[in-house]
Amino acid sequence: MEMDRSGALLEVEGLHVRYKTKSAEVYALNGLDLRVERGEKLGLVGETGAGKTTLALSILRLLPERVGEITAGSIRYEGEQLLEQSEAYMLGLRGRRISMIFQDPMTSLNPIKTVGEQILEVLDLHFPGLSKAEKLGRVARMLETVGIPASRGGDFPYQFSGGMKQRIVIAMALIGEPELLLADEPTTALDVTIQAQILEMMSRLREEYGTAVILITHDLGVVAEFCDRVAVVYGGRIVEQGSVEQVFARGMNHPYTEGLLGCIPELDSRAERLTPIPGQMADPTVQPKGCSFAERCGRCMEICRTRQPEPFESEGHSIMCHLYGPGEV
């Protein structure tokens, strides 16, 4: 799918990623296309194993060595091809221009350094012109912003709860005031009050610094409240994308998106049980000839099993499904 390159912050085209294990090859991304505008808040949704985190790690080129491999495609950031850049270039990019909130705070923090020291490292690396006092002041303000007293900057990770560790990881990602924030389930371990504060803080970053956000989450309610656009991932591809209004209107959706939306309980419904999506996620060790959702789809046709669908688009709403043709979306 050819993309208009004018003004985009991030462009991912035809991205293929595989993981090599002793027993099999796992095809994690299978020709994924994505475009993120400056200052945009994009929600990336889909079941576990769809390829959401793999996409984020690919953008930062942090796939596990000798296991994860980008086999095809391109990743352009402000027009520059990231897959051709040196590791030194990427070190300058990570944490400053692009930051990531990792999903598991337990493995993201160094147990033998205080949390204040670990946040300070970002400033030492990317803002060498600041004085020590200015850096310490920024660290203190950021800790307060994520709901942790500045006085606890001298404590070690083991002295914090899981939710507080998550907030510290968020502080590390935001202190560099990045242009693009990759947030992988940033509010999962937090109570609703702190969750609202973190989402508000990320919204403020966009307003003050023009920061774009890719929010990886399973919480469609958070997407509806926080994001401008939604991209639905299944089988290593984006099967539907559009504005929050277009996707959540339930006027016309990919069958997989319909299944995700159908899993949400409704206050005005008296249904005794939720309606799950039937079947299991597509086997990532097999590359199907047709649509990867075919075996779970209640509207599957013969062509779905033999040929990959092409995306059809109208007014920015794109659906990759044989059910829809030009002018129908």
Side-chain angles (χ1 to χ4, degrees):
M1 182 174 62
E2 187 64 25
M3 296 183 180
D4 176 17
R5 298 185 180 283
S6 58
L9 180 67
L10 175 73
E11 297 164 293
V12 180
E13 296 184 13
L15 192 64
H16 289 256
V17 175
R18 66 180 177 182
Y19 294 106
K20 291 184 178 180
T21 67
K22 291 182 179 180
S23 58
E25 288 190 358
V26 175
Y27 301 96
L29 297 182
N30 301 293
L32 185 143
D33 295 314
L34 183 68
R35 176 187 173 106
V36 180
E37 304 292 340
R38 299 173 189 277
E40 182 177 38
K41 295 184 291 186
L42 172 72
L44 207 61
V45 301
E47 293 168 287
T48 298
K52 305 183 301 297
T53 299
T54 293
L55 171 61
L57 294 176
S58 299
I59 292 169
L60 287 173
R61 283 178 41 194
L62 288 176
L63 292 171
E65 292 184 22
R66 296 181 295 276
V67 176
E69 179 186 10
I70 296 174
T71 58
S74 70
I75 303 173
R76 296 181 185 276
Y77 186 73
E78 295 190 315
E80 297 181 336
Q81 175 57 265
L82 295 187
L83 302 184
E84 298 174 354
Q85 302 299 329
S86 66
E87 181 60 21
Y89 178 93
M90 295 303 298
L91 285 173
L93 186 82
R94 299 179 193 127
R96 177 61 186 96
R97 296 170 65 193
I98 305 178
S99 284
M100 183 167 179
I101 301 171
F102 292 91
Q103 189 170 1
D104 186 3
M106 306 296 181
T107 58
S108 301
L109 295 171
N110 188 330
I112 63 173
K113 286 189 175 183
T114 67
V115 297
E117 288 174 332
Q118 294 182 61
I119 299 172
L120 186 63
E121 283 180 345
V122 179
L123 299 180
D124 287 339
L125 179 62
H126 297 295
F127 298 87
L130 294 178
S131 68
K132 186 74 170 180
E134 288 175 316
K135 292 176 184 176
L136 291 174
R138 281 199 184 190
V139 171
R141 288 193 296 274
M142 183 54 68
L143 283 172
E144 294 284 353
T145 300
V146 298
I148 295 176
S151 58
R152 298 208 59 186
D155 290 347
F156 292 87
Y158 77 89
Q159 296 174 282
F160 294 88
S161 67
M164 295 180 81
K165 288 177 185 176
Q166 182 73 301
R167 282 181 265 166
I168 292 164
V169 170
I170 292 170
M172 292 173 65
L174 297 184
I175 197 164
E177 299 170 359
E179 300 161 351
L180 174 62
L181 177 65
L182 309 174
D184 192 357
E185 297 280 359
T187 58
T188 298
L190 307 179
D191 61 57
V192 291
T193 303
I194 299 299
Q195 180 184 90
Q197 291 176 5
I198 296 302
L199 293 175
E200 171 61 27
M201 180 172 55
M202 290 195 294
S203 291
R204 201 162 58 244
L205 266 179
R206 167 177 143 166
E207 295 167 4
E208 294 180 9
Y209 306 108
T211 301
V213 180
I214 298 178
L215 177 66
I216 300 171
T217 183
H218 295 282
D219 192 332
L220 295 178
V222 168
V223 171
E225 177 184 350
F226 176 76
C227 296
D228 307 311
R229 254 186 346 116
V230 190
V232 181
V233 186
Y234 187 83
R237 290 182 176 160
I238 291 178
V239 297
E240 180 173 356
Q241 57 183 314
S243 69
V244 167
E245 292 78 11
Q246 289 170 330
V247 174
F248 281 76
R250 304 195 186 191
M252 192 168 288
N253 295 112
H254 189 281
Y256 178 61
T257 309
E258 289 179 356
L260 292 178
L261 294 173
C263 294
I264 303 173
E266 298 180 359
L267 293 177
D268 57 354
S269 171
R270 298 182 62 85
E272 295 183 3
R273 298 179 65 87
L274 298 178
T275 306
I277 300 174
Q280 301 294 323
M281 279 283 293
D283 185 351
T285 65
V286 177
Q287 288 189 303
K289 292 181 180 179
C291 175
S292 57
F293 189 63
E295 298 302 321
R296 305 175 70 185
C297 182
R299 291 188 279 170
C300 178
M301 302 175 289
E302 185 57 34
I303 191 175
C304 300
R305 303 180 190 276
T306 58
R307 197 174 79 190
Q308 287 285 350
E310 294 293 329
F312 295 109
E313 183 175 333
S314 177
E315 299 179 352
H317 186 195
S318 174
I319 300 178
M320 189 177 288
C321 180
H322 288 299
L323 287 172
Y324 308 115
E328 295 185 46
V329 178

